[in-house]
Every structure is written in C-alpha cells, then in structure tokens.
Amino acid sequence: MESQRSFLIIGLALVSFLLWQQWQADYGPKPVTPVTNEQRVDPVSEGVPSSGSNANNSDIPAGNEDVPIAQNSEATPAVKQDRTIRVKTDTLDVLIDLVGGDVISANLVDFPVKQGAKEAYSLLRTQNGLYQAQSGLIGKDGPDQSASGRPRYDAAQSEFVLAGDTLKVPLTWRNDAGIAITKTFTFTRDSHDVEVTYTINNGSSQSANFQQYAQLKQVLEQENSSGNMFMPTYRGAAYSTEDDNYEKYTFGDIEDKNLRLATKGGWVGMLEHYFVSAWIPPQDQTNTIYSRTLKNQFAIIGFTGTPISVASGDSATISSELYMGPKDQDKLAQLARGLDLTVDYGILWWISQPLFALLKFIHSLVGNWGVAIILITVVVKGAMYPLTKKQYESMARLRNLAPKMQQLKDRHGDDRQKMSQAMMELYKKEKVNPMGGCLPLILQMPIFLALYWVLLESVELRHAEFFLWITDLSVKDPFFVLPVLTGASMWLLQKLQPTTVTDPMQQKIMQFMPVMMSVFFLWFPAGLVLYWLVSNVITLIQAKIIYASMEKRGLQTR
C-alpha cells in the first residue's frame, strides 16, 4: 500500500472517530437545565437514601427536590456565615456545611483555573453548577433520617488551617436520648484524600442502629461540559464493583435507570476533564452502590455501607474516604482498585498506560513535557523502523513487478479469476507480500490514538509549557505554527515517496490531504501536533536512509 494512501486512511479514520464522538455528545439524551431552589434541610429533599433494618431492601426515596445552597449572590454569604466552616490546607480550600456535615465547596489550591491565574480551580462548588459531596448516618437511629431534619453539627471554630502533617476537624452532635456522634474530617499534607470518620457513643437506654451513606450530587446540565469534536471529554458518573474495576454511568444512564448494586468494596465517583471526586467506602465490607436523579435537575451517585448496631453504653467507629483532586494515576491506584482507570484512555488503555509510563519516565530525565514528547516519538518510531523498512521495500518490490503485472493483464484480459491466480503465483515466486505495506499502518493507528488519549487525559500535561509561544501542551497552538509545519512535512513526504495512483480523483485527494490534515490539526492539543510533526520528520529521515539502501541493492525506488 502506498504511503499516500496510508495518510488518507489515517486521516479518514481519525476524522470518523472524532465525528462519532461528537455525534454521541450532540444527539445523546439532553438533561434539563436546573433552576434555583429555596434552601431546605429535610433528609428526603436532600436525596438521602432511606434504610430499613435490612440494607438490601432499602431504597432511594422518591423525593422531588434537593437542597443546594442558595445559588444567588445574596443568599450565599448568609449561609457561609451561619452554617459553614472553612478548612485550608496546602492542597485544598474546603467549605463544610454544619447542617449534615457536607462538603459543599472544594478549591484545588495547587491547580489554577487558568494558566497564570491566582484563582484556584473549583471542583466542588455551590455556584456555576452545584456539585457537592454529601455524607451521613441513616438507619433507625441515624440523625440524617430524623423527622426533624438533618443534624446540625457544632464545631469549635469557624476556620481550620493545616499547620503540621495532618489536620483533624471534628463536628459534634448529640440528641436528647443520649446518642452522641462526632464526625471527623482528617486532612493530610500534600494529599487530596480526606478521611471521614464517625465515632458513635450510645448513651441511650437501648441499642441503636446506623448505616453510613455517602453520595456525590451534581447538576445535570452545564455549558461546554463535554468538550468539542477535537477535545472530547467525559463529564459524568462512574463506579467500581468487585466484578467490574471501572464502569462509566452517564447522566443519561442515571435518568433512565437507577443503580442498585451490592458489592464488596467498590467506589463511586464524578468525573470531569483532568479531575475527579470519589467516595471510597471500607474495602473489606459489603456496600450498596446506588444512583438517582432529583427533579430532573441533579444527578446523584453514592453508596450505603453495612448496617451496624451499637449496644447501650457502647461505642463504634465508621469511616470512608473522600478524594477531591486531579486524576493522578499513581495516587488513585493506591486508594482503591480501579480508581486510576478514571484516567480514561478508552479501549486502548493497555497501550496508553505503558506509553504514559514511558513519557513520565522521560520527563523525569529532561524536565520538559514537550521534549519528552519529542523523545518518546523518537523511541516509538525507532522501534517501528524494521517494520517501516519492510513497508518501503515491499512497495519497491511491487513497483518493480509493474511490467510483469502489465503482461499478466494483457495475457488474461478480463478473466479476473485467472488474473488473480496468476498474480498470487507471481507474488509467491518473487517473494513479495502485497499486504507488507499495511502492517506498519495497522500498528501506527492504535499507537497514534493511544498517545492522543494520553495527551488529552493526563493532568500532568495541563498547563505544561514547551518553549516560546507553546505555553500549554494540552490546548491548541495559539498561532497555528505546528499545524502548518505538520502540513508542510506531509507535503514533503508526498514528494519524496513515489505513487502508482493513476485515478485523477485519487490524485487530487492526495494533493489536498496535507491541507485537510493541517485544518484538522488546528484544534488538536499542541502536544499531539508536536508528536505528529516530529513523527513526520523522522519518517522523512528514515525514508531517505531506506531509499539509499535500496538503490545500492538495485531496487527501483521511483
């Protein structure tokens, strides 16, 4: 197969893939845009799951409202003053609602919202699309299922600041029966993982039953929530069970059907480009994963834990973990099985993960992600050189057979069966594989797509500088220099490599292919275009070397 045809196939395959991605985003289920609600604190309206004595028979209530913090500018300050506390660490700036003890805001201190900005990226938030991490205790004696509403915790102070390696933020609650609960958030330096622990002291005259729950709640519709055709990103829910390490569950899925899965361990999460929030229950216990929507405005995914009974005069401890931060594969893998798969490389993850590991290793040596992309391209193209050499030699042998092929056509005329048999005999006699030029393309396409997802999904490349005008490898080249150079390199490859295409239409398509690809590359991440440009330059050098070697052996190269 000619290299020009290879470029055409690669381009058409890539464009088809991206068009399919965009079609899914444009014509998939469309959730309803939410409206502002008045503030409420009853458990049913907050989407708190119900629980009977048997957790497997519990169900999610059919409440028709939820309780976001009031989203207008006048109501929010009052809420902060009256019922929130602030926790500041080296990685997180968090607001916790004392009613229920929910995390209603989480700013990622070490990730600016834009490159060079002082404002931190808001993962959990009360404005610009509500997104919260709720948790509590349900069951017969659970305060979050009380008829009087969710519990109002007390805190010793309104602001906590991390000074050492860890910071404990205790919230206390007690009822008239003598049941006391301390909900403690434990923050750790250089970590986006927060441990949430409930210490239950039963001072009542009878045993008490509790069940932990935790859930992530988010508005269904946001502007630009799914990226665009050339930067498709996933915003939605995901979960893990004992049988499935990682499963996406889109907002459309949540609207269509509520989850209810019992599993040992597991986790639930909400994903967006580069960042994830996740609740991780005790991994040695049986938990129930659930989902639901509220008034067609909010999507919820969460878990309920194993019910416990605390005898009169006894105490018990229940805990879970809340992660709010970047999709750091190494750290996520340490928290729970399959959580690192939220860095979603798709079906080619088995190629993308080793490529990312290699890219990260090279970066540790050179300290620049752009240079690392160049070097990994050299490594990949170098590893594929033997196949590339076979491709070019196969093409050359096919061209050398052109006179004999013409003789076969003259001899057999329109008898396709005899012509086909004669061609196969000729290939066998001359030891030529007509498909020999396709193998490098078959290998190159998955590698290209795998590296595409690496450069798209890896948070390490967010705001990563290269040099001069390329200050962020995760977005398009602001001056389109790299796409133009890539188109020029493709044009040079066309001039260098001979073609046997005689059809005028195919010739025109081949001539315009560099222009078409340059246009597509205008919206690609600069890191990906850099990879493609360097790949083309290396291919040009390899072609020169291979052609020189073939000419020495008497093979026709043109």
Side-chain angles (χ1 to χ4, degrees):
M1 181 181 290
E2 299 290 344
S3 288
Q4 290 91 338
R5 290 181 179 176
S6 300
F7 282 125
L8 178 61
I9 293 173
I10 291 174
L12 293 178
L14 180 60
V15 172
S16 300
F17 170 75
L18 295 173
L19 286 173
W20 178 82
Q21 291 270 356
Q22 190 64 25
W23 186 92
Q24 291 287 88
D26 290 343
Y27 297 98
K30 294 294 182 183
V32 179
T33 303
V35 296
T36 302
N37 289 315
E38 293 297 324
Q39 189 174 5
R40 304 177 188 272
V41 295
D42 58 288
V44 173
S45 69
E46 288 216 352
V48 175
S50 64
S51 174
S53 58
N54 186 342
N56 292 328
N57 293 328
S58 65
D59 201 357
I60 301 170
N64 59 1
E65 292 186 86
D66 197 12
V67 60
I69 297 298
Q71 296 184 44
N72 58 73
S73 58
E74 296 179 356
T76 301
V79 171
K80 288 182 179 179
Q81 291 173 6
D82 294 340
R83 50 182 274 191
T84 64
I85 61 173
R86 186 176 188 181
V87 183
K88 299 177 70 175
T89 74
D90 60 326
T91 58
L92 294 168
D93 186 351
V94 169
L95 285 179
I96 299 175
D97 190 347
L98 290 175
V99 176
D102 299 332
V103 180
I104 61 173
S105 174
N107 294 335
L108 308 183
V109 176
D110 41 355
F111 289 90
V113 64
K114 293 182 179 179
Q115 192 172 32
K118 294 182 179 179
E119 182 184 358
Y121 184 85
S122 294
L123 182 59
L124 304 185
R125 48 195 174 264
T126 57
Q127 296 180 341
N128 300 322
L130 183 128
Y131 181 4
Q132 298 178 351
Q134 300 178 311
S135 58
L137 296 176
I138 54 177
K140 182 172 70 71
D141 301 289
D144 285 88
Q145 219 163 35
S146 171
S148 61
R150 298 189 69 198
R152 168 66 185 250
Y153 288 93
D154 294 320
Q157 56 200 65
S158 61
E159 183 169 317
F160 296 79
V161 179
L162 177 68
D165 291 332
T166 60
L167 170 64
K168 292 185 179 295
V169 180
L171 309 181
T172 58
W173 173 88
R174 185 182 183 90
N175 67 5
D176 295 336
I179 297 176
I181 297 174
T182 301
K183 183 175 184 178
T184 304
F185 293 82
T186 302
F187 296 82
T188 306
R189 182 172 296 278
D190 192 30
S191 175
H192 294 87
D193 180 39
V194 180
E195 184 180 18
V196 182
T197 304
Y198 301 88
T199 303
I200 304 168
N201 290 294
N202 185 6
S204 68
S205 59
Q206 56 187 3
S207 63
N209 298 310
F210 304 92
Q211 185 178 15
Q212 177 184 200
Y213 86 94
Q215 61 187 26
L216 297 161
K217 177 183 61 181
Q218 188 174 175
V219 294
L220 289 166
E221 182 73 3
Q222 290 186 33
E223 284 188 35
N224 302 322
S225 60
S226 299
N228 55 56
M229 173 178 170
F230 299 100
M231 289 284 287
T233 57
Y234 176 70
R235 173 180 170 266
Y239 65 91
S240 174
T241 66
E242 190 174 18
D243 297 326
D244 297 311
N245 286 348
Y246 172 71
E247 285 291 332
K248 288 181 181 177
Y249 208 68
T250 67
F251 289 160
D253 292 333
I254 295 176
E255 289 180 296
D256 293 339
K257 183 180 179 180
N258 292 336
L259 272 176
R260 187 156 190 83
L261 300 171
T263 179
K264 182 178 180 181
W267 52 263
V268 295
M270 287 282 191
L271 282 61
E272 57 188 54
H273 196 197
Y274 296 130
F275 303 103
V276 59
S277 65
W279 278 110
I280 307 163
Q283 296 298 287
D284 60 346
Q285 298 179 14
T286 298
N287 306 290
T288 299
I289 292 173
Y290 65 86
S291 71
R292 66 168 303 199
T293 58
L294 294 171
K295 206 177 180 179
N296 295 322
Q297 296 177 9
F298 303 97
I300 287 177
I301 188 167
F303 77 88
T304 55
T306 301
I308 66 168
S309 179
V310 184
S312 175
D314 284 350
S315 63
T317 300
I318 306 174
S319 65
S320 59
E321 292 181 275
L322 172 62
Y323 182 84
M324 304 170 288
K327 295 178 181 177
D328 186 315
Q329 296 180 62
D330 294 337
K331 293 182 180 179
L332 292 175
Q334 295 174 5
L335 291 175
R337 183 174 65 97
L339 192 56
D340 58 317
L341 297 179
T342 54
V343 183
D344 193 356
Y345 294 141
I347 60 173
L348 297 174
W349 61 268
W350 52 280
I351 301 177
S352 295
Q353 286 188 342
L355 283 175
F356 175 73
L358 177 59
L359 183 66
K360 195 172 181 180
F361 171 74
I362 294 174
H363 175 262
S364 68
L365 300 178
V366 299
N368 183 293
W369 285 107
V371 175
I373 290 172
I374 293 173
L375 293 179
I376 197 175
T377 308
V378 173
V379 172
V380 170
K381 293 295 291 184
M384 294 179 62
Y385 177 76
L387 293 175
T388 303
K389 185 177 180 181
K390 288 183 179 180
Q391 176 192 21
Y392 280 79
E393 290 180 347
S394 177
M395 291 163 51
R397 290 192 179 97
L398 284 173
R399 283 191 295 271
N400 289 335
L401 290 180
K404 295 183 179 180
M405 293 289 290
Q406 187 60 47
Q407 293 176 7
L408 293 178
K409 290 181 181 180
D410 295 340
R411 185 184 310 166
H412 298 289
D414 295 332
D415 193 335
R416 293 188 177 182
Q417 183 175 358
K418 290 185 177 180
M419 179 65 184
S420 178
Q421 291 177 349
M423 286 173 57
M424 295 307 296
E425 291 176 0
L426 179 62
Y427 290 147
K428 186 176 182 180
K429 179 181 178 181
E430 299 291 338
K431 297 181 180 180
V432 173
N433 182 2
M435 301 299 293
C438 296
L439 183 58
L441 174 63
I442 294 173
L443 291 176
Q444 183 179 2
M445 193 64 193
I447 292 174
F448 171 76
L449 289 176
L451 195 53
Y452 169 83
W453 286 111
V454 166
L455 300 177
L456 182 65
E457 277 287 306
S458 300
V459 69
E460 289 82 357
L461 294 176
R462 182 179 185 263
H463 299 169
E465 295 186 7
F466 179 32
F467 80 110
L468 297 179
W469 71 96
I470 306 296
T471 60
D472 190 347
L473 288 166
S474 65
V475 299
K476 64 183 180 182
D477 182 339
F479 300 111
F480 308 116
V481 175
L482 291 179
V484 172
L485 291 177
T486 302
S489 67
M490 293 180 66
W491 181 80
L492 290 174
L493 276 172
Q494 278 193 346
K495 294 299 181 181
L496 176 65
Q497 298 170 350
T499 180
T500 58
V501 174
T502 57
D503 181 71
M505 180 60 67
Q506 288 190 33
Q507 287 180 344
K508 289 182 179 180
I509 292 175
M510 293 300 176
Q511 290 172 357
F512 281 100
M513 194 63 191
V515 178
M516 292 166 56
M517 292 301 292
S518 293
V519 172
F520 294 142
F521 280 137
L522 293 178
W523 289 272
F524 275 36
L528 182 69
V529 184
L530 177 64
Y531 159 73
W532 194 260
L533 171 62
V534 175
S535 178
N536 283 351
V537 172
I538 295 174
T539 300
L540 280 167
I541 297 172
Q542 289 179 341
K544 285 284 189 180
I545 295 172
I546 294 170
Y547 284 155
S549 174
M550 288 191 297
E551 288 174 356
K552 288 181 180 180
R553 288 178 285 158
L555 289 175
Q556 180 182 344
T557 60
R558 297 182 181 277

